């Protein structure tokens, strides 16, 4: 970053392990900022960009960073060691009723085996006999919702062995990994793909805890997933694993206080919405932001980080 005094501003990598929030209106420069940060973080470990709208490849190419792209062959993991959290993700993505959620957790009680999959869940629901009218209706409604995202037209998006394949990619293919969700037209599928991929990366890092590399996950359009129970848990816990989250959103007013509190690096591009500005004013405790944020030019930002004594205005620029 180039600071307001025209010097180069550096932020230690340890700050990014305390999680980062990048906010700004559409067109303010958030994507370029995240790409510049990613181009430096690849020197410390692998970086995965979850690209909601397929915007990062051209920006990253311009920075000369070696990039591995997953686009047309995007896959959604459906098998986890901690299947309970996958159940929680399904619950949130499908916006299930309490009765429907009950059937999902009943499955967990009946199947204590590890490494369960979505196929196991579907088979269980289809074969389970229920007597009461409300249970029959609940089961049918739940299966309908599951089949909206897991059917003959979408099954090719899922991969039972993605954990093994992804671990190999992350360990053997250095550089930046961009996972584009463009191919997934349905918003529920995109949310499911983003959240399960983040969960899978956590499991991989947890299993490979002795590795010295850091791991960074950049989540574009994070307002689509940011308030899930998974993300709220991760911002509080995964730092000890050496995982840093970088969350990017144009809607800070939709972010929970838990996320705001646990993102210790904040990069603020221009904001126009008064509600979004007020959120950042309260978060940083700086009333002057009301005047500063609407006037920032494209590519300009205000940065707050643990290693900085004060909030600094910068211009985002590639390091030569």
């Amino acid at each position: 970053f180039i600071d307001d005094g025209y010097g180069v501003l550096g932020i230690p990598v340890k700050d990014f392990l305390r999680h980062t929030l990048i906010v700004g209106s559409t067109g303010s420069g958030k994507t370029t900022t995240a790409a510049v940060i990613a181009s430096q973080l690849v020197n410390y470990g692998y970086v995965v960009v979850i690209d909601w709208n397929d915007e990062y490849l051209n920006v990253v190419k311009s920075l000369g960073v070696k990039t591995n792209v997953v686009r047309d062959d995007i896959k959604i993991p459906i098998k986890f060691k901690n299947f309970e959290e996958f159940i929680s993700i399904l619950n949130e993505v499908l916006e299930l009723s309490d009765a429907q959620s009950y059937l999902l957790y009943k499955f967990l009680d009946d199947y204590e085996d590890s490494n369960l999959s979505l196929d196991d869940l579907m088979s269980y629901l289809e074969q389970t006999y229920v007597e009461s009218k409300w249970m029959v209706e609940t089961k049918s409604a739940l299966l309908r919702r599951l089949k909206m995202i897991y059917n003959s037209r979408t099954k090719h998006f899922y991969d039972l062995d993605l954990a093994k394949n992804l671990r190999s990619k992350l360990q053997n293919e250095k550089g930046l990994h961009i996972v584009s969700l463009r191919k997934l037209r349905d918003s529920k599928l995109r949310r499911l793909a983003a959240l399960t991929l983040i969960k899978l990366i956590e499991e991989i890092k947890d299993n490979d805890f002795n590795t010295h590399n850091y791991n960074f996950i950049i989540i574009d359009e994070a307002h689509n997933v940011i308030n899930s129970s998974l993300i709220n848990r991760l911002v509080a816990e995964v730092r000890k694993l050496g995982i840093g989250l970088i969350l990017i959103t144009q809607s800070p007013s939709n972010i929970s206080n838990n996320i705001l509190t646990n993102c210790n690096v904040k990069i603020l591009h221009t904001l126009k919405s008064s509600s979004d500005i007020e959120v950042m004013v309260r978060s940083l405790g700086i009333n002057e932001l009301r005047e500063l944020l609407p006037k920032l030019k494209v590519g300009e930002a205000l940065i707050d980080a643990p290693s900085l004594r004060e909030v600094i205005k910068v211009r985002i620029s590639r390091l030569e």
Side-chain angles (χ1 to χ4, degrees), residues 73-110:
D73 58 345
I74 173 70
K75 298 294 182 184
I76 301 173
I78 55 172
K79 189 173 185 177
F80 298 90
K81 286 189 174 180
N82 180 1
F83 200 72
E84 183 172 356
E85 193 149 52
F86 178 65
I87 291 289
S88 178
I89 291 172
L90 280 177
N91 195 15
E92 293 171 348
V93 168
L94 297 177
E95 300 175 331
L96 301 180
S97 67
D98 290 342
Q100 292 164 353
S101 297
Y102 166 77
L103 283 182
L104 292 185
Y105 287 102
K106 187 175 184 302
F107 164 74
L108 287 177
D109 286 341
D110 292 346

Side-chain angles (χ1 to χ4, degrees), residues 230-249:
L230 172 67
I231 300 299
N232 274 274
R233 179 183 66 76
L234 291 183
V235 295
E237 294 182 5
V238 295
R239 182 183 166 200
K240 63 177 181 268
L241 292 178
I243 297 177
L245 299 177
I246 300 174
L247 310 173
I248 306 163
T249 181

Side-chain angles (χ1 to χ4, degrees), residues 1 9-16 18-21 263-268 284 286 302-312:
F1 308 122
L9 172 69
I11 298 178
V13 67
K14 66 179 182 180
D15 281 7
F16 289 103
R18 298 176 67 177
H19 309 311
T20 303
L21 178 66
C263 286
N264 290 276
V265 177
K266 294 182 176 69
I267 302 176
L268 286 62
L284 295 179
I286 302 175
L302 302 173
I303 297 185
D304 180 58
S307 59
L308 301 178
R309 296 178 181 175
E310 59 184 7
V311 174
I312 296 179

Side-chain angles (χ1 to χ4, degrees), residues 38-316:
S39 72
Q40 301 302 308
L41 291 180
V42 291
N43 297 312
Y44 302 93
Y46 65 72
V47 181
V48 177
V49 178
I50 299 178
D51 187 357
W52 197 268
N53 291 316
D54 202 25
E55 296 178 340
Y56 278 81
L57 182 57
N58 290 335
V59 178
V60 169
K61 275 185 174 180
S62 70
L63 299 176
V65 182
K66 179 185 176 183
T67 307
N68 304 300
V69 182
V70 178
R71 179 185 282 150
D72 293 333
D73 58 345
I74 173 70
K75 298 294 182 184
I76 301 173
I78 55 172
K79 189 173 185 177
F80 298 90
K81 286 189 174 180
N82 180 1
F83 200 72
E84 183 172 356
E85 193 149 52
F86 178 65
I87 291 289
S88 178
I89 291 172
L90 280 177
N91 195 15
E92 293 171 348
V93 168
L94 297 177
E95 300 175 331
L96 301 180
S97 67
D98 290 342
Q100 292 164 353
S101 297
Y102 166 77
L103 283 182
L104 292 185
Y105 287 102
K106 187 175 184 302
F107 164 74
L108 287 177
D109 286 341
D110 292 346
Y111 285 79
E112 297 180 356
D113 188 21
S114 60
N115 288 318
L116 296 167
S117 72
L118 183 54
D119 285 314
D120 297 324
L121 172 61
M122 296 291 286
S123 297
Y124 169 83
L125 291 173
E126 288 169 348
Q127 296 171 13
T128 297
Y129 175 72
V130 291
E131 292 184 354
S132 62
K133 181 180 178 181
W134 76 268
M135 189 70 83
V136 171
E137 293 174 349
T138 298
K139 173 184 169 180
S140 298
L142 176 56
L143 281 169
R144 281 197 302 272
R145 285 186 172 271
L146 286 169
K147 286 184 179 296
M148 286 170 57
I149 61 168
Y150 193 61
N151 53 59
S152 58
R153 297 185 303 278
T154 63
K155 268 197 173 183
H156 65 283
F157 289 130
Y158 295 84
D159 188 348
L160 202 62
D161 297 317
L162 191 60
K164 179 176 65 178
N165 297 334
L166 183 61
R167 179 180 286 109
S168 176
K169 277 182 176 292
L170 295 179
Q171 289 177 339
N172 300 318
E173 299 180 15
K174 302 301 181 183
L176 178 64
H177 302 264
I178 299 178
V179 180
S180 171
L181 303 182
R182 179 192 65 173
K183 194 79 172 179
L184 304 175
R185 303 293 185 185
D186 184 85
S187 61
K188 286 184 172 59
L189 276 180
R190 286 193 182 190
R191 286 194 71 206
L192 183 64
L195 290 170
T196 52
L197 182 58
I198 294 164
K199 171 60 186 169
L200 186 56
I201 292 172
E202 182 203 14
E203 284 195 357
I204 290 172
K205 181 59 176 174
D206 196 19
N207 290 336
D208 302 333
F209 185 72
N210 291 326
T211 60
H212 298 294
N213 284 348
Y214 297 131
N215 303 238
F216 299 95
I217 307 173
I218 298 176
I219 308 172
D220 187 37
E221 301 287 344
H223 46 272
N224 291 296
V225 299
I226 207 167
N227 291 325
S228 73
S229 60
L230 172 67
I231 300 299
N232 274 274
R233 179 183 66 76
L234 291 183
V235 295
E237 294 182 5
V238 295
R239 182 183 166 200
K240 63 177 181 268
L241 292 178
I243 297 177
L245 299 177
I246 300 174
L247 310 173
I248 306 163
T249 181
Q250 59 188 352
S251 305
S253 57
N254 292 329
I255 299 172
S256 69
N257 286 330
N258 180 55
I259 298 290
L260 286 169
T261 300
N262 281 289
C263 286
N264 290 276
V265 177
K266 294 182 176 69
I267 302 176
L268 286 62
H269 287 276
T270 187
L271 289 168
K272 307 300 183 184
S273 164
S274 59
S275 60
D276 289 334
I277 292 172
E278 284 303 314
V279 166
M280 301 317 300
V281 168
R282 290 196 301 270
S283 176
L284 295 179
I286 302 175
N287 291 326
E288 289 80 5
L289 292 181
R290 293 189 183 91
E291 297 292 327
L292 291 174
L293 284 174
K295 297 177 181 178
L296 291 175
K297 299 176 182 177
V298 175
E300 292 182 339
L302 302 173
I303 297 185
D304 180 58
S307 59
L308 301 178
R309 296 178 181 175
E310 59 184 7
V311 174
I312 296 179
K313 181 181 177 183
V314 302
R315 175 169 51 85
I316 309 303

